[in-house]
């Protein structure tokens, strides 16, 4: 039987698990510094996140208006409770392949942090990439592993891919910057910043 990543994360949060060490401590500080600096520099006011997880990382972000998506219902339940008094934050269950977005659903910035390599289903991975690019007016920020895709797969919860070859298929965007991991002893993820270069919003 193939590994069901959605069921894994749903069970994880239901049983009191977290989004992992990447959403806490030094790594959370690193992520928030990069993204908050970008928000200030480009006067970003609306943000959509693919993979809001347990909501802890969100506490460090200076998002004016935010929508968090996640494949795990238990994640949405956690965030709904954690931010029940914050009227600037909304949450929604996301199912890859079932977001038909033709311009209504957009934000200045779309972020996806430590999520892509956890999407072990290939069709879901491609659908998620398509959806996050379709949901952005201008900026996309990915925080993920940059690999060849040929590395040995050591755990079922992670699938390494050649992320650059996938991004090359999205010609409406260009990579403006790659920010290397500040704490390589803690994580192998890096920032990939992309900007829309085409006015097409199909």
């Amino acid at each position: 039987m193939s590994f069901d990543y959605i069921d894994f994360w749903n069970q994880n949060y239901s049983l009191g698990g977290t989004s992992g060490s990447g959403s806490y401590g030094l790594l959370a500080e690193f992520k928030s510094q990069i993204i908050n600096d970008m928000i200030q520099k480009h006067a970003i006011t609306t943000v959509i996140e693919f993979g809001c997880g347990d909501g802890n990382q969100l506490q460090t972000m200076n998002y004016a208006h935010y929508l968090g998506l996640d494949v795990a219902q238990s994640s949405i339940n956690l965030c709904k409770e954690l931010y029940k008094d914050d009227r600037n934050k909304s949450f929604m269950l996301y199912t890859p392949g079932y977001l038909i977005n033709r311009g209504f659903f957009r934000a200045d910035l779309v972020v996806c942090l430590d999520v892509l390599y956890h999407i072990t289903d290939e069709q879901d991975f491609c659908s998620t990439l398509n959806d996050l690019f379709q949901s952005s007016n201008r900026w996309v920020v990915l925080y993920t592993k940059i690999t060849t895709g040929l590395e040995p797969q050591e755990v079922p919860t992670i699938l390494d891919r050649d992320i650059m070859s996938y991004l090359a298929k999205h010609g409406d965007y260009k990579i403006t910057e790659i920010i290397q991991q500040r704490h390589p002893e803690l994580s192998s993820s890096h920032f990939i910043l992309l900007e829309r270069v085409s006015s097409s919003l199909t």
Side-chain angles (χ1 to χ4, degrees), residues 98-119:
Y98 289 90
L99 175 60
I100 312 303
N101 186 14
R102 297 192 174 99
F104 181 83
F105 189 78
R106 295 193 183 278
D108 300 332
L109 168 66
V110 171
V111 299
C112 187
L113 311 176
D114 271 329
V115 168
L116 291 177
Y117 55 83
H118 284 300
I119 306 175

Side-chain angles (χ1 to χ4, degrees), residues 4-73:
D4 187 334
Y5 76 99
I6 295 178
D7 182 66
F8 172 84
W9 286 106
N10 204 33
Q11 290 291 326
N12 173 72
Y13 297 124
S14 294
L15 297 174
T18 71
S19 294
S21 60
S23 297
Y24 293 79
L26 290 175
L27 291 174
E29 292 175 10
F30 172 50
K31 291 185 202 176
S32 61
Q33 180 182 352
I34 297 300
I35 293 178
N36 287 337
D37 285 351
M38 185 177 181
I39 287 171
Q40 182 176 21
K41 178 179 179 181
H42 298 290
I44 291 168
T45 59
T46 56
V47 177
I48 296 172
E49 179 171 22
F50 281 74
C52 52
D54 64 7
N56 188 73
Q57 177 74 70
L58 180 56
Q59 298 184 76
T60 69
M61 300 297 189
N62 299 329
Y63 297 150
H65 300 283
Y66 169 89
L67 172 62
L69 310 177
D70 206 283
V71 297
Q73 180 65 62

Side-chain angles (χ1 to χ4, degrees), residues 91-161:
F91 302 93
M92 186 174 75
L93 184 65
Y94 169 68
T95 303
Y98 289 90
L99 175 60
I100 312 303
N101 186 14
R102 297 192 174 99
F104 181 83
F105 189 78
R106 295 193 183 278
D108 300 332
L109 168 66
V110 171
V111 299
C112 187
L113 311 176
D114 271 329
V115 168
L116 291 177
Y117 55 83
H118 284 300
I119 306 175
T120 54
D121 181 90
E122 182 67 12
Q123 185 173 343
D124 284 4
F125 177 83
C126 292
S127 292
T128 302
L129 268 187
N130 287 335
D131 288 342
L132 67 88
F133 280 113
Q134 286 292 322
S135 299
S136 172
N137 284 322
R138 182 179 179 187
W139 297 101
V140 170
V141 171
L142 308 177
Y143 178 80
T144 192
K145 300 168 71 176
I146 302 176
T147 65
T148 65
L150 301 176
E151 292 79 3
Q153 305 300 302
E154 299 179 352
V155 294
T157 59
I158 290 176
L159 179 60
D160 290 324
R161 296 177 175 88

Side-chain angles (χ1 to χ4, degrees), residues 77-93:
N77 292 339
L78 281 173
C79 291
K80 181 176 68 172
E81 179 62 25
L82 184 60
Y83 296 99
K84 62 184 178 182
D85 297 323
D86 189 336
R87 299 184 62 83
N88 294 320
K89 292 180 174 63
S90 301
F91 302 93
M92 186 174 75
L93 184 65

